[in-house]
Amino acid sequence: MSTVIRVGSRESRLAVIQSEMVMDAIRAAAPEAVTELVTMKTTGDKILDRTLDKVGGKGLFVKELDRALLAGRVDLTVHSMKDLPAELDPRLPLVAVSRRETPYDVLVLPTGQDQWDQTRPVGCASARRTVQLQALYPALDIRPVRGNIQTRLRKLDSGEYGALVLAQAGLHRLGLDSRIHRVFSPEEIIPSACQGILAVQAREDFDTSCLRTFHDADALACALAERAFIRALDGGCSSPVAAFARLIDADTLRLTGLYVSEDRTRSRTETIDCPRADGAACAAELAARMKREG
C-alpha cells in the first residue's frame, strides 16, 4: 500500500515551491510514498499593517502549522528556517534541513530601472537589515515593508519605494534572479540566521528515512551555531542581531556575529573559528562575551 505523507505549508508561492522541493525529495527517496500538500494562512501572513516585532515576532509564521502537526492534520511542516522561533516545541523536533541556498541579502530596484535613486525610501522588513543599511548609507530613508515577495515587489513597482532589500534565496527559488540589482556581501550586511535554509518539522514518532537524501548535515551545523548565537542574545524580529556561519573545512566552522546595544547606539561584529562539533557552544559563548563587553 502507498504511504500518504501530508506536508503542511504556508500559502505563499514561495512557501509552496519550498514545500514542493521537500515533496520531490521524499518521492525520490521513497517511491511508494504519496505526498499531499496542505496549505494554510498563518497569523503572520494575515497581519500586514504592522511590523512583526509589534505583533508577536517570528512565531506568528509557524503557530498554525504547529497546531496542524500536533493535531495530526499533517505529517510534516516546511519552513524557511530563518522564520522559526528560537525555542521549538519539543514535541515537534527538527527532522531535516536543506542544503543552503545563497544566503545573502540583495538590492532590488523598480522594473525598468538600472540606477538606484537613494533619495527615495527603501523598503526593509527587519531591524537587522535596517541597522546595517544605515551604517552603509546614513542618509537613506528606510521604511518597513510587509507581505510576501510578490506583494513587496508590487509595492516597489507601484512607486511606494525606490528600492527593496530582500533575501537572494527567495528570489532565486521564485525564478526572479533578474530583479536583483546588487548582492550585499556578508561584510556589508550579515544575513539573517539560517537564511537560505529550509527546515522540516515532524512529530517525534515520524519515520524520517524518506528525508535521508534531502537532509544536509553541513547546513545543519551552520544553522545550529547561528541559532545559538541569536538565542543567547534573545534575538527576535525586534532585535537587529545577526549571525552567519560557514564551514572553512570539514571540521572547522567560522562564525561572524553582530551585536547591537539595546539603544542601538553601539554595534560590533566579531568572527571566530571553532571546531564544527562545538559550533553551537562557541557561538553562545561569543554572544555572551559580546553582550558583556557591549
Side-chain angles (χ1 to χ4, degrees):
M1 291 182 61
S2 297
T3 301
V4 178
I5 299 175
R6 297 159 300 171
V7 178
S9 169
R10 291 165 63 188
E11 290 182 343
S12 75
R13 180 59 185 151
L14 177 59
V16 168
I17 287 173
Q18 293 176 163
S19 295
E20 288 173 343
M21 292 167 60
V22 176
M23 294 162 68
D24 288 344
I26 290 172
R27 289 190 293 266
E32 73 283 0
V34 174
T35 57
E36 177 185 332
L37 182 64
V38 180
T39 62
M40 58 197 78
K41 191 180 291 291
T42 68
T43 303
D45 297 313
K46 297 172 185 174
I47 302 174
L48 299 177
D49 60 342
R50 285 162 285 171
T51 55
L52 289 177
D53 57 299
K54 301 294 193 300
V55 292
K58 293 187 176 185
L60 295 178
F61 288 123
V62 304
K63 287 180 179 178
E64 285 80 2
L65 291 166
D66 282 357
R67 291 190 193 109
L69 198 49
L70 288 169
R73 297 197 300 273
V74 296
D75 303 298
L76 298 172
T77 53
V78 180
H79 309 275
S80 292
M81 196 168 182
K82 68 176 183 175
D83 290 337
L84 290 179
E87 300 296 337
L88 301 179
D89 189 323
R91 298 170 295 175
L92 303 176
L94 191 66
V95 295
V97 302
S98 71
R99 178 188 63 81
R100 190 170 213 165
E101 186 57 77
T102 305
Y104 308 121
D105 285 330
V106 298
L107 186 75
V108 178
L109 301 183
T111 297
Q113 295 188 17
D114 57 10
Q115 296 293 322
W116 180 17
D117 180 359
Q118 295 185 23
T119 65
R120 301 188 62 208
V122 175
C124 183
S126 73
R128 171 192 63 83
R129 286 176 178 148
T130 298
V131 165
Q132 295 183 91
L133 269 177
Q134 286 175 331
L136 291 172
Y137 305 100
L140 279 185
D141 176 14
I142 302 173
R143 300 182 187 178
V145 59
R146 289 289 317 282
N148 60 40
I149 289 177
Q150 289 91 341
T151 298
R152 296 184 198 186
L153 290 175
R154 284 195 294 272
K155 292 179 179 181
L156 172 68
D157 293 338
S158 70
E160 191 171 339
Y161 300 92
L164 297 176
V165 179
L166 299 171
Q168 186 175 6
L171 289 167
H172 177 69
R173 288 171 181 150
L174 285 165
L176 296 173
D177 297 270
S178 63
R179 294 301 308 259
I180 297 171
H181 177 69
R182 66 156 293 189
V183 178
F184 293 103
S185 72
E187 289 73 34
E188 294 173 307
I189 299 181
I190 301 172
S192 176
C194 306
Q195 189 156 293
I197 301 174
L198 303 182
V200 183
Q201 286 181 275
R203 292 180 298 278
E204 293 177 285
D205 59 354
F206 183 78
D207 179 2
T208 61
S209 60
C210 64
L211 292 164
R212 62 184 181 276
T213 61
F214 178 81
H215 180 65
D216 189 288
D218 289 348
L220 179 62
C222 292
L224 292 178
E226 291 168 9
R227 284 175 60 80
F229 182 91
I230 300 301
R231 187 166 52 247
L233 293 176
D234 195 25
C237 289
S238 62
S239 175
V241 298
F244 178 53
R246 66 196 101 179
L247 293 169
I248 58 175
D249 61 43
D251 300 311
T252 308
L253 184 145
R254 177 167 292 164
L255 175 82
T256 299
L258 168 70
Y259 168 77
V260 180
S261 63
E262 287 189 20
D263 61 7
R264 300 191 185 181
T265 60
R266 302 181 311 281
S267 67
R268 59 181 293 200
T269 62
E270 190 167 335
T271 299
I272 59 168
D273 291 348
C274 63
R276 170 185 177 138
D278 300 329
C282 291
E285 290 173 7
L286 173 64
R289 177 166 57 79
M290 292 177 76
K291 187 173 183 177
R292 284 196 307 273
E293 295 173 357

